[in-house]
Amino acid sequence: MSALICFALKEEVAPFRKVADGKSGISILVVGIGRQNAEKSTRDFLAGGASVPASRSHDNSPAQPNLVLTCGFAGGLNPELKLGEVVFETTDENLRAKLLSAGAKPAKFFCADRIATTVAEKKTLRAETGADVVEMESAAIHAVCRERGIPCATVRVISDTADEDLPLDFNTLAKPDKSLDFGKLFLAIAKSPGKIGALMQLQKKTSFAARQLAAVLAQVTFP
């Protein structure tokens, strides 16, 4: 079996890239943040990777995989979900069994157009959508895969829970392509130096979450 594992950010993929190194049949693609970036990157890869530089982990894998997983961080909307818990959504019973065996939990996902940064925003999304989890790329990747008849599943890890605010509104710190504008970030920190501690804690939490996700993916994707 060949699998394409998609992530929005290089920070999300780093632990999995280490364990996937040298494994055949696995391709890794960093698609960028948001639906538009995710759709374009996935289409480009499946068309032959003409405009997907340095994101592919193992170029010996076929351009048309047997399975696509859309992975990475997600915000908790269900207050029962804890930091580092891996959640999934799939219609494939065999994959479902593997994910359950690896400790992942089934969940309902909502694909948003912006980062949910506050507890109030998460509560509103929970009430309006009934979703357990929010992220920003999976709907676009699933749509591309449906067009091509490729099985696709979402496998994400909780990086911030329903009851916590993010230290900054990262939506206001993004470039037009939704990547982080470090100039804006440094200016925001300069204006609010008290946020440094919370940002360092967030980095620790996301690093932990990425390791938890990698452990589950390794059990699911490697024979």
Side-chain angles (χ1 to χ4, degrees):
M1 184 186 78
S2 63
L4 172 62
I5 320 295
C6 300
F7 298 82
L9 302 167
K10 66 182 189 305
E11 291 83 4
E12 296 171 330
V13 69
F16 181 69
R17 193 182 291 279
K18 291 179 181 178
V19 297
D21 186 42
K23 303 290 186 181
S24 62
I26 300 294
S27 291
I28 294 172
L29 183 65
V30 178
V31 300
I33 298 172
R35 298 186 197 212
Q36 185 174 356
N37 289 322
E39 179 181 354
K40 183 179 186 305
S41 295
T42 306
R43 286 191 187 282
D44 286 345
F45 181 94
L46 295 175
S51 58
V52 184
S55 299
R56 198 181 296 188
S57 179
H58 302 289
D59 286 328
N60 59 334
S61 298
Q64 184 90 340
N66 303 119
L67 173 68
V68 174
L69 299 181
T70 164
C71 305
F73 299 145
L77 302 181
N78 184 336
E80 295 182 1
L81 293 173
K82 299 177 177 61
L83 173 70
E85 287 194 306
V86 177
V87 290
F88 71 90
E89 193 169 52
T90 182
T91 57
D92 185 290
E93 289 302 319
N94 289 332
L95 181 59
R96 176 185 174 87
K98 288 182 180 180
L99 285 161
L100 289 171
S101 178
K105 296 181 176 181
K108 181 180 178 181
F109 285 78
F110 175 66
C111 189
D113 293 322
R114 54 175 277 121
I115 301 169
T117 60
T118 67
V119 172
E121 190 173 358
K122 294 173 187 178
K123 285 183 178 178
T124 299
L125 286 174
R126 172 76 165 164
E128 291 179 348
T129 69
D132 300 300
V133 183
V134 60
E135 47 81 51
M136 297 177 63
E137 296 82 29
S138 293
I141 296 173
H142 276 267
V144 173
C145 290
R146 278 196 300 271
E147 290 177 6
R148 291 177 171 264
I150 303 172
C152 182
T154 302
V155 185
R156 297 269 176 162
V157 63
I158 302 300
S159 56
D160 56 285
T161 60
D163 61 356
E164 65 177 316
D165 294 329
L166 294 179
L168 294 170
D169 184 352
F170 291 100
N171 298 290
T172 65
L173 306 178
K175 298 177 184 178
D177 67 354
K178 294 189 180 296
S179 63
L180 182 62
D181 187 323
F182 286 97
K184 290 181 180 179
L185 174 62
F186 295 147
L187 181 59
I189 293 173
K191 290 181 177 179
S192 303
K195 299 284 189 180
I196 293 176
L199 287 167
M200 293 178 67
Q201 284 298 314
L202 178 62
Q203 185 178 35
K204 290 180 181 179
K205 289 177 180 179
T206 55
S207 294
F208 167 73
R211 293 194 298 272
Q212 296 296 103
L213 178 59
V216 169
L217 290 176
Q219 292 185 59
V220 170
T221 56
F222 304 151

